Amino acid sequence: MTRKTQPADVFSAIAEPRRREVIAMLSDGEEHAVNDIVLRLKLAQPAVSKHLGALRKVGVVTVVKRGQHRMYRLHPAGLKPVHDWVKTFERYWTHQVDQIKQRAERKALERMIRMDDGSNPKEE
Amino acid sequence: MTRKTQPADVFSAIAEPRRREVIAMLSDGEEHAVNDIVLRLKLAQPAVSKHLGALRKVGVVTVVKRGQHRMYRLHPAGLKPVHDWVKTFERYWTHQVDQIKQRAERKALERMIRMDDGSNPKEE
DNA sequence: TTAATATATTCCTATTTAGGAATATGTCAA
DNA sequence: TTGACATATTCCTAAATAGGAATATATTAA
């Protein structure tokens, strides 16, 4: 897992494009041996093991020993924190965008009229 | 923005916890001056400017000059790539989990019976 | 113009971390 | 046991990057 310090949270874990590739490959819901991933993604074996270790540490994949292979499988629940976080912004690109923008613009206008430059931390 | 090299994509941009705090603060949909954010999040001003620069570069915030202030506003559409990506896994933690698991286990069993150790890249 | 305020940028440094090379560990087959 | 294969780990190095300090830039006020 690239030495000692690994992404501590799932947001950092998925920031790595290769790890998203690994996730994509595992998103068929099936088990895959490390070497399958090595061949498919054309990465070095240690690199794959490290990425899988990182994903495992944040709960995005699980592993079982099966013979001399370690079979990795996606554990999608590990991605739920990301989903929940970004889902709170979903409404912005659906129908409520206009309302929100209008509210913001109205308030901004108020501020301009009042000449309130924000140097007083009264908003806190 | 922390020197020259900045997160090139939105996944890396939101990996930073402070930047998610900035996003949270802007998620009221209104404009905020840099100094508002400095005061609210208790970060140094250069740090905030750098984070805002990173978020702007990936399209998560927009900025307008207003007097001597730069007013930043959330641009939620910039988060859509993350949303779209993670949304493809939504089904896993809803109702279809069992079907997928069962299919995976059936296939895994086939592999075991065939003693297919995966050393032949026939899956490609 | 000068001073004050708001923000951005540059330089520097420390930390994080991805990848390569080599090696270690573990499992199976002969 | 020995050898082949599968995977993990360690060591090293290079790149990315967060933050601090100092400075630059821009805008407004006097």
Side-chain angles (χ1 to χ4, degrees):
Chain A
M1 33 309 249
T2 301
R3 210 168 182 188
K4 66 208 67 163
T5 43
Q6 261 182 314
D9 75 330
V10 64
F11 287 91
S12 298
I14 66 166
E16 242 293 312
R18 316 279 193 160
R19 286 199 282 263
R20 291 205 299 280
E21 288 183 39
V22 171
I23 291 172
M25 178 170 167
L26 296 182
S27 64
D28 61 2
E30 301 187 24
E31 291 179 345
H32 291 272
V34 176
N35 209 26
D36 280 7
I37 302 172
V38 169
L39 294 172
R40 185 94 56 108
L41 302 187
K42 294 177 181 170
L43 296 175
Q45 175 266 312
V48 171
S49 284
K50 289 167 188 174
H51 285 313
L52 287 168
L55 292 173
R56 194 165 76 90
K57 192 168 267 184
V58 299
V60 170
V61 304
T62 58
V63 59
V64 294
K65 281 194 207 174
R66 202 176 297 288
Q68 67 194 117
H69 295 157
R70 311 282 178 102
M71 306 304 289
Y72 283 86
R73 174 177 291 181
L74 187 64
H75 183 64
L79 295 172
K80 204 164 182 308
V82 179
H83 180 265
D84 291 348
W85 180 80
V86 78
K87 195 173 169 49
T88 66
F89 303 101
E90 199 175 40
R91 60 194 175 105
Y92 284 98
W93 51 74
T94 55
H95 53 292
Q96 297 186 19
V97 177
D98 298 318
Q99 291 176 32
I100 289 157
K101 265 202 175 167
Q102 282 169 21
R103 189 169 73 100
E105 252 131 41
R106 176 164 36 78
K107 291 236 182 174
L109 191 59
E110 284 172 24
R111 262 199 300 273
M112 286 179 65
I113 290 167
R114 282 158 43 220
M115 303 281 201
D116 182 349
D117 66 0
S119 57
N120 288 345
K122 33 61 196 152
E123 299 210 340
E124 183 70 17
Chain B
M1 28 315 250
T2 303
R3 212 166 180 189
K4 64 208 70 167
T5 44
Q6 259 182 315
D9 74 330
V10 64
F11 286 91
S12 298
I14 65 166
E16 244 292 316
R18 315 281 193 158
R19 284 198 282 264
R20 291 205 300 280
E21 288 183 41
V22 171
I23 290 171
M25 177 169 168
L26 296 183
S27 65
D28 60 1
E30 300 185 27
E31 290 179 345
H32 290 272
V34 175
N35 208 27
D36 281 6
I37 302 172
V38 169
L39 295 172
R40 185 95 57 107
L41 302 187
K42 293 178 182 170
L43 297 175
Q45 176 266 313
V48 171
S49 283
K50 289 167 188 174
H51 286 313
L52 287 169
L55 292 173
R56 193 164 77 90
K57 192 168 266 182
V58 299
V60 170
V61 303
T62 58
V63 59
V64 294
K65 280 195 208 174
R66 201 177 296 289
Q68 67 193 120
H69 295 155
R70 311 282 177 103
M71 306 303 290
Y72 283 86
R73 174 177 290 180
L74 187 65
H75 182 65
L79 295 172
K80 203 163 184 305
V82 179
H83 180 265
D84 291 348
W85 180 80
V86 78
K87 194 173 170 50
T88 66
F89 303 101
E90 199 175 41
R91 60 193 176 107
Y92 283 99
W93 51 75
T94 55
H95 53 290
Q96 298 186 18
V97 178
D98 298 318
Q99 292 177 30
I100 289 157
K101 265 202 175 167
Q102 283 169 21
R103 189 168 75 101
E105 253 131 42
R106 174 164 38 77
K107 291 236 181 172
L109 191 59
E110 284 172 25
R111 262 200 299 276
M112 288 178 67
I113 290 167
R114 283 156 44 219
M115 303 282 200
D116 182 349
D117 67 358
S119 57
N120 289 345
K122 34 62 197 147
E123 299 210 342
E124 185 69 17

